[in-house]
Each structure stands twice: as structure tokens, then as C-alpha cells.
Amino acid sequence: MMIPKVKKILDLSQPVYHNCPGWPTYIPTIVSYEARHVTHDFEAERIEMNVHTGTHTDAPYHFFKDGIKLEQLDPMRFQGRGVTFDLRGIGQMAIEAKHLEACGVGVQKGDIALLYTGWGQKRDMTKEYFYEWPFLTAEAAQWLVDRGVKCVCIDGMSVGGWPEGCGAPAHEVLLGNEVMVVEELYMDEELLEEPEWYVVALPIKLKGFSGAPTRVVAMKLE
């Protein structure tokens, strides 16, 4: 088997740490220590956090009580051709289908859609990061579903908007059609250097959960 060579790799993940940014109504992330080098000669950390913190995956169970849970998801759903929608000019407003169309991205069935709004750079810096991020309308979510994408990644707090009841419309359209959602990524202009990437976004395998922390990378293969 020929193993493809990786020409370039981008880490699209936000870090998790003590009291890091998270959904406004959730208890902040707490990091403590069960062992320290100074007293135990080794280090062992403990973390208490909502799984929908930092870069994370939403499983259908997040919005549907009978939906697929995290550990039931096929890893193939989280890897494949990634295409970038440059939405930095959208500002603090809803992303509509016409905005996605205007990006001129050649979407193919089975693609992973990377929605680059520039919001990832606002993490830790502004209050607006927590309440006013660009989000998908239900119509825009359906536009992506109709084109056969298998996963939607966004660099804001949520694929849905705060004013819409915790972002329910976009989540219900995407997760209801078993299109996976990955939120709170870090994206920058390097993504625009290539028309497509090989994206891997694997969540931690947590049994019975509605979501999980996820490490996302975009690779340019030779």
C-alpha cells in the first residue's frame, strides 16, 4: 500500500485549558493536578469540562434524544476532502445560502465544509466572541445538506446562533440529516492557499455522549 506524503499540515484546533472560553451558560473549565513533578516526580492533570468546549464535535444526540451518540459514529464521517468557504466579510450576521453560493466553492458529495469566518481569532479577546458570532441559517444549512457534504466545521462558538434558542435551527437541519458538526475551530489565511485539503477531525470516543473534544488537522498531500 502506498502511503501518501504530507506536504503541509495545519492544526485547526483551539486549545483547552483552565478557565478557557466556553459556552456562556456552562460551568467554566477547571484544571487541577493529581500529581506534580515537585512532589511526585511525575505530572498528572485532571480536567472538569463540558464536552462542548474548545474544538469539539456535535453528534445527532446533541439535539435529538433518539439520535446517534458519539461512540456510534463511523470515523469515516470525519475525514475527507475539505473545501474552504471564505466568509470573513460576513461580520456579525447570519450566514445565508446566498453567502455560501457567492464563495464559488466547487462542493462535491462527501466533502467537509470549512466555514472560515475569522471568529477563531477573537477567542480570549472580545466579549462579542461569546454572543455575536456568524452562524448558519436553517436555509444555509439545508444548502449544504443538498450538496451532500458530510461534515460542517465552523470557527465560531456554534454553527447556530445565540438568538435562535441555542442555535437549534442549523443543528436540527444538519444533525437531522446526519451531517456532522464540528465547532470552535481555529482558521486563518493559510487555508486559502490551497483549493482543497485532506481534513481529519476525530472526536474522542466517549460512550453515550452528545459530543466530544476533537483535534482537527488539514493536510496538503503530494
Side-chain angles (χ1 to χ4, degrees):
M1 179 180 66
M2 182 175 292
I3 299 175
K5 293 183 179 180
V6 178
K7 181 179 179 182
K8 188 174 186 178
I9 186 167
L10 304 180
D11 187 348
L12 306 184
S13 313
Q14 294 280 18
V16 173
Y17 48 89
H18 182 74
N19 204 31
C20 68
W23 190 260
T25 62
Y26 295 158
I27 297 171
T29 297
I30 299 172
V31 175
S32 57
Y33 299 88
E34 303 215 6
R36 303 305 306 264
H37 287 297
V38 68
T39 53
H40 298 85
D41 294 327
F42 64 94
E43 196 85 357
E45 302 84 4
R46 180 181 182 87
I47 189 165
E48 299 175 51
M49 62 181 285
N50 189 294
V51 294
H52 298 272
T53 300
T55 305
H56 65 276
T57 294
D58 291 347
Y61 184 54
H62 187 37
F63 273 80
F64 298 95
K65 65 179 182 179
D66 296 322
I68 299 171
K69 296 179 181 178
L70 200 284
E71 82 279 6
Q72 298 170 320
L73 296 172
D74 185 341
M76 285 301 296
R77 293 174 181 264
F78 301 103
Q79 56 182 316
R81 178 179 181 259
V83 290
T84 307
F85 291 79
D86 186 358
L87 297 162
R88 288 174 295 169
I90 205 75
Q92 296 163 292
M93 62 183 290
I95 301 167
E96 301 177 14
K98 65 182 181 182
H99 299 128
L100 297 176
E101 189 75 49
C103 290
V105 178
V107 187
Q108 300 175 12
K109 184 177 180 180
D111 278 351
I112 294 175
L114 303 171
L115 307 184
Y116 172 29
T117 72
W119 224 247
Q121 283 87 346
K122 297 179 183 289
R123 196 177 193 235
D124 293 335
M125 298 195 316
T126 64
K127 185 177 180 180
E128 68 186 5
Y129 177 81
F130 297 95
Y131 298 100
E132 301 174 2
W133 61 85
F135 62 90
L136 284 177
T137 62
E139 174 201 26
Q142 188 62 52
W143 188 92
L144 291 165
V145 169
D146 291 343
R147 280 149 185 79
V149 303
K150 64 181 179 182
C151 182
V152 174
C153 302
I154 195 166
D155 54 357
M157 287 285 289
S158 173
V159 76
W162 178 264
E164 298 187 308
C166 295
H171 280 96
E172 289 172 352
V173 171
L174 295 172
L175 298 177
N177 285 280
E178 296 190 4
V179 174
M180 298 302 104
V181 172
V182 186
E183 299 167 330
E184 289 194 77
L185 283 80
Y186 177 85
M187 304 183 193
D188 61 27
E189 292 184 354
E190 282 191 275
L191 269 178
L192 304 177
E193 294 176 0
E194 303 289 346
E196 62 182 63
W197 298 84
Y198 191 82
V199 174
V200 179
L202 293 177
I204 299 173
K205 192 174 183 179
L206 300 176
K207 187 173 182 178
F209 278 59
S210 65
T214 302
R215 189 70 177 262
V216 185
V217 296
M219 296 177 283
K220 180 61 182 177
L221 305 179
E222 290 186 350

